[in-house]
Amino acid sequence: MPDALAEVEPKAAQLQVAENTLTTEAEKGKKKPRFMKTVPLSLIKFHTFQKTEKGQAGATPPVVKKTKENLEGPWGLGRIVFPGCQRLNNIHCFLVFYCLLITSQGVVFGLIDLSIDTFGKDNHLNDVGNLLLSLTYDISSCLIVVFISYYGGKGNIPRWITFSSFLVGFGSLLFAFPYFSGGDHKASVVTGDICQEMKTNKVCNKAVPSFQTKFISSFILGQILQGVAGMPLYILGAVFIDNSVTTHSAGIYLGIVEASVVLGYSLSYVIAATLIKGSENRTSGTSVEDSDVIQSWLQHWWIYFGLVSLIAWSTLIPLSCFPHSVRGTAKIKAEKRKHPHPFDGKIKDQEFGISIKDLFATIWVLLKNPIFTCLALTKASESLVFIGASEYLPIYIENQFLLTHATATKIAGFVLLPGGGLGQLLGGVIVSTLHMSCKALMRFIMVTSVISLIFFGFVIFVHCDPVPLAGINEDYDGTGQLGNLTAPCNSHCRCSSSFYSAICGRDNTGYFSPCFAGCTQSKTLNGRQAYYNCSCIQAGLATSDDQGDFIDARPGACDTKCYKLPLFIAFIFSTILFSVFSGIPCTLTILRIVSDNQRSLALGLTYVILRIFGTIPGPILFKMLGETFCIFRETEYCGKKGNCWIYNKMKMAYLMVGICSVCKVFTIFFTAIAFCLYKCLSKEDSDILHIPIKNLKVKKKRKN
């Protein structure tokens, strides 16, 4: 067979050269000016294309049939080609629009988490409702990911990604609908800040049923659309990029993609942290001005969702213009086929059909691969680490260093932004620069996981001493009981634990609210509240205001005199950085250990395993464990379990570090099993992936 090809190829080359010379001679007399080589020329091409279909029976148009390996095409809308825009027909331009879309969905994810958390706290949504809102994305994506990855991998991937961009924008508009449609956020306004003997507390503060119904229904539909849109983005997009770049460059491109997701998610925490102020518990009577603040807060939510929708839709037309394969893909695929598969002879590159029977047959082939299963479980355990960090980090910073919720959320966003995004990017750059083989990739995963595990241990030792809080860890100078906010000094005030507004007394003791401190008067001094005549505050140095009245307490938590926050940020940043190093190497290993025809489905099955063992049970697990370190909870909300106001800081630290450490141990365990199996089954002897990069240039020179 090779001899036959050797005889045929020179003859075909001679015929091709003859045809090219005739074509060039014919075109010499038909030179067109440069200004015609734009849209009119593309329309002429479209017109001549229709004529060739209606040609005579004896005519044979000079059209080369495209095989599955060579599906490169021009950049344009369908049959309308824009020659002046063909410079966009490359993987770099595709990556720009693709990452913009990925970042916009990352912002949507963060805004969803923050708005659901805000809505749940303000309206005392039960655990089932909270989980239903947050897990709809994971459940919907888990149900359809196998079908999208299998059939989408056989089709036009840029068209699937274009469809995803439409769904991301439309789903974002659904999230904005309950805020945009207006209506009161709450049905009643609570009152009760200072100590008053004749006072009625309206603690059953519920959302307007219409707003709550619109919120839940819109968010469930929006989450479903985001789940459907996300699977072509993260699975088919990764396969498309891997097909379009050389093996040693895939890690860099995929690292940029993963960093874009983390960038969008972290940006949402930064831009929406100020909106959380609108949801913080209000302890005083709400006036018309406060009502306007609430409406302004609602409007900002839908504005952010609307902007994200516009950004996602701005990528619709550019992404729809990309062909099935960008320019240069055929040469890259031909170069990759020259290098043997690590399991050459053990894994057959079978071609399955499009029936359901073929789909399940392919799934069974992948599940019988133990290395693939172990690596999929590795990604699931890694997802639990990031879920735990994003779930506990804002709460931990807020309670450990006594910061406001908005400030703690901003700091968490700033830590997750460089730590997660930079880690994903550096992980891809390192493995690509070193040309790591599959064995080296798995070693890299284990080493970085051990380093992050060590940094997790350092985080435990960075904590602040607890501040005395009356009724929690201080007993009102012996007149009260621990665990009971009510004492003889405030028993006449009719205080409610539904209104949390921490103050610091002149005795350097914190109080749950001015009411529980027994304060009967308040003034506004230089834009800040000051409280007077507090019956529970007797000790401490008193200071007077401009009018000669002695100030007993000021709003906010007492100063902890703890300056370990920078050290904590440094340790948690290093932990997240080394933890996410393993994301890109794990994906690259999965793409290399399966056959070329099964890569998209392999990533789809990986996401199914990740959902079943990671992102679906993860939030449930963390919420259940989060209940254990709550030491004081609102108990007066119409008999329902209310919000948790105060946490056990040390128990929270041990649980957060312990859970994430266990997940990293599972990562090391599954990767070690995959490494041992790979070492026994593969033919790979070297840890460096040797790829002759200059082969293409040499061939071009020989042709010339």
Side-chain angles (χ1 to χ4, degrees):
M1 187 68 179
D3 296 333
L5 290 174
E7 294 176 3
V8 173
E9 285 179 355
K11 296 179 180 179
Q14 292 175 2
L15 292 174
Q16 184 68 31
V17 171
E19 289 177 4
N20 291 339
T21 54
L22 290 174
T23 304
T24 53
E25 289 177 359
E27 288 178 351
K28 284 182 180 179
K30 296 182 179 180
K31 288 186 177 180
K32 294 183 177 65
R34 291 185 176 272
F35 60 85
M36 290 294 292
K37 296 183 179 181
T38 53
V39 178
L41 181 59
S42 66
L43 295 177
I44 292 171
K45 289 183 178 181
F46 176 71
H47 181 66
T48 55
F49 180 84
Q50 289 181 330
K51 285 185 177 181
T52 55
E53 291 183 344
K54 300 177 182 180
Q56 299 177 358
T60 57
V63 177
V64 179
K65 185 179 179 181
K66 293 183 179 181
T67 61
K68 186 176 180 181
E69 289 78 11
N70 184 14
L71 291 173
E72 297 179 13
W75 194 90
L77 287 171
R79 295 175 178 175
I80 303 178
V81 179
F82 303 95
C85 298
Q86 295 310 305
R87 67 187 65 182
L88 301 177
N89 190 11
N90 57 71
I91 191 61
H92 301 98
C93 292
F94 174 83
L95 188 68
V96 171
F97 297 112
Y98 178 66
C99 288
L100 182 61
L101 178 59
I102 288 282
T103 304
S104 64
Q105 194 180 41
V107 175
V108 172
F109 289 155
L111 291 176
I112 290 170
D113 290 344
L114 291 174
S115 57
I116 289 177
D117 181 65
T118 300
F119 176 80
K121 286 182 178 180
D122 286 348
N123 300 283
H124 293 77
L125 201 64
N126 55 28
D127 294 336
V128 177
N130 273 318
L131 290 174
L132 180 64
L133 288 174
S134 59
L135 293 180
T136 306
Y137 170 84
D138 297 301
I139 296 173
S140 62
S141 61
C142 185
L143 293 176
I144 52 93
V145 61
V146 172
F147 300 97
I148 290 180
S149 60
Y150 185 72
Y151 294 106
K154 297 178 180 294
N156 192 322
I157 293 179
R159 297 294 181 272
W160 281 89
I161 297 177
T162 303
F163 178 65
S164 295
S165 66
F166 172 77
L167 291 183
V168 170
F170 186 67
S172 183
L173 286 183
L174 286 178
F175 295 130
F177 172 72
Y179 300 112
F180 174 75
S181 57
D184 292 330
H185 183 227
K186 297 183 179 181
S188 59
V189 179
V190 296
T191 59
D193 183 17
I194 60 177
C195 176
Q196 298 176 4
E197 296 185 10
M198 302 298 295
K199 178 175 60 176
T200 302
N201 291 318
K202 300 177 182 179
V203 295
C204 290
N205 188 32
K206 298 182 180 179
V208 176
S210 60
F211 177 80
Q212 188 168 359
T213 303
K214 285 189 295 186
F215 185 95
I216 294 176
S217 59
S218 298
F219 268 60
I220 289 177
L221 290 175
Q223 287 276 60
I224 292 174
L225 290 182
Q226 295 295 335
V228 176
M231 294 306 95
L233 285 180
Y234 303 116
I235 295 173
L236 301 182
V239 174
F240 184 82
I241 290 174
D242 188 65
N243 289 336
S244 306
V245 299
T246 57
T247 304
H248 71 280
S249 301
I252 299 176
Y253 287 89
L254 294 179
I256 294 173
V257 172
E258 293 295 333
S260 300
V261 181
V262 181
L263 172 66
Y265 190 86
S266 303
L267 281 177
S268 66
Y269 269 67
V270 175
I271 63 177
T274 54
L275 301 183
I276 301 176
K277 294 180 179 179
S279 67
E280 291 177 352
N281 198 23
R282 299 177 179 275
T283 59
S284 60
T286 304
S287 62
V288 176
E289 295 179 358
D290 295 326
S291 179
D292 294 338
V293 171
I294 295 176
Q295 292 299 323
S296 175
W297 168 73
L298 294 176
Q299 291 174 3
H300 279 88
W301 275 113
W302 77 258
I303 288 175
Y304 283 138
F305 280 119
L307 287 176
V308 173
S309 179
L310 292 177
I311 294 173
W313 281 346
S314 67
T315 63
L316 264 172
I317 295 178
L319 288 174
S320 63
C321 292
F322 283 95
H324 189 285
S325 298
V326 295
R327 188 171 49 204
T329 302
K331 294 180 181 179
I332 292 173
K333 285 186 176 181
E335 190 68 24
K336 288 180 178 179
R337 282 194 297 270
K338 294 181 180 180
H339 304 280
H341 196 276
F343 300 109
D344 193 16
K346 297 185 179 67
I347 293 181
K348 296 181 180 180
D349 195 8
Q350 297 174 327
E351 182 70 29
F352 291 92
I354 59 174
S355 65
I356 298 295
K357 183 178 179 181
D358 293 324
L359 169 61
F360 285 104
T362 312
I363 293 174
W364 179 243
V365 170
L366 289 173
L367 292 179
K368 287 192 300 183
N369 187 343
I371 303 176
F372 164 75
T373 306
C374 290
L375 291 175
L377 290 173
T378 297
K379 289 191 74 70
S381 62
E382 281 300 299
S383 68
L384 286 174
V385 176
F386 198 79
I387 291 173
S390 58
E391 182 79 21
Y392 286 151
L393 193 58
I395 302 175
Y396 183 80
I397 294 175
E398 176 185 357
N399 288 270
Q400 185 67 248
F401 302 100
L402 297 181
L403 303 175
T404 63
H405 188 54
T407 304
T409 305
K410 279 186 178 181
I411 293 176
F414 281 121
V415 171
L416 291 173
L417 170 61
L422 188 62
Q424 294 281 6
L425 181 60
L426 288 179
V429 171
I430 291 172
V431 299
S432 294
T433 304
L434 299 179
H435 294 187
M436 289 186 179
S437 64
C438 289
K439 285 195 299 185
L441 288 173
M442 286 185 275
R443 285 200 192 103
F444 183 79
I445 294 172
M446 290 186 285
V447 170
T448 54
S449 297
V450 170
I451 296 175
S452 66
L453 200 58
I454 294 173
F455 278 112
F456 267 128
F458 289 143
V459 171
I460 298 179
F461 301 102
V462 183
H463 58 83
C464 299
D465 296 330
V467 175
L469 186 60
I472 304 298
N473 55 13
E474 201 276 337
D475 58 356
Y476 289 96
D477 293 331
T479 61
Q481 298 178 353
L482 295 179
N484 187 5
L485 295 178
T486 304
C489 61
N490 59 27
S491 58
H492 61 286
C493 297
R494 300 177 59 86
C495 303
S496 173
S497 63
S498 297
F499 316 133
Y500 179 50
S501 178
I503 65 169
C504 182
R506 54 186 170 88
D507 55 355
N508 290 325
T509 300
Y511 294 87
F512 190 84
S513 69
C515 183
F516 280 105
C519 303
T520 58
Q521 294 181 5
S522 65
K523 293 181 183 179
T524 302
L525 302 175
N526 298 324
R528 295 191 63 187
Q529 287 285 110
Y531 298 96
Y532 304 84
N533 299 330
C534 302
S535 57
C536 296
I537 303 175
Q538 301 296 330
L541 180 64
T543 57
S544 60
D545 58 12
D546 297 338
Q547 300 176 359
D549 297 327
F550 292 100
I551 301 173
D552 285 335
R554 294 184 181 274
C558 295
D559 186 10
T560 59
K561 294 182 173 62
C562 179
Y563 308 102
K564 298 179 181 179
L565 181 60
L567 184 62
F568 173 80
I569 292 176
F571 280 139
I572 202 69
F573 171 81
S574 303
T575 301
I576 295 174
L577 180 70
F578 283 96
S579 180
V580 299
F581 265 170
S582 59
I584 299 302
C586 190
T587 302
L588 290 175
T589 309
I590 292 174
L591 290 173
R592 291 181 188 176
I593 63 172
V594 299
S595 64
D596 291 342
N597 295 327
Q598 298 170 358
R599 286 184 303 163
S600 60
L601 184 60
L603 289 183
L605 277 181
T606 301
Y607 269 79
V608 172
I609 296 173
L610 185 146
R611 295 286 184 264
I612 294 176
F613 296 100
T615 57
I616 292 179
I620 300 174
L621 173 66
F622 288 125
K623 286 186 181 297
M624 290 175 59
L625 293 174
E627 300 293 326
T628 60
F629 50 74
C630 179
I631 60 177
F632 189 82
R633 181 181 298 279
E634 174 189 354
T635 56
E636 299 179 9
Y637 189 80
C638 305
K640 296 181 181 180
K641 183 174 68 172
N643 298 319
C644 182
W645 297 130
I646 303 170
Y647 295 88
N648 187 327
K649 294 189 288 186
M650 287 305 300
K651 192 173 183 180
M652 185 191 304
Y654 283 116
L655 275 176
M656 181 183 72
V657 173
I659 293 172
C660 294
S661 299
V662 169
C663 294
K664 295 303 293 185
V665 170
F666 276 113
T667 296
I668 299 171
F669 174 73
F670 289 125
T671 308
I673 295 177
F675 177 80
C676 295
L677 292 172
Y678 184 90
K679 195 173 182 180
C680 296
L681 297 175
S682 71
K683 292 184 177 181
E684 191 177 275
D685 297 325
S686 175
D687 289 336
I688 304 299
L689 188 63
H690 297 287
I691 299 174
I693 304 174
K694 299 181 179 180
N695 281 357
L696 297 176
K697 296 182 179 179
V698 173
K699 288 182 179 180
K700 288 181 180 179
K701 291 180 180 179
R702 289 178 181 175
K703 288 181 181 179
N704 296 332

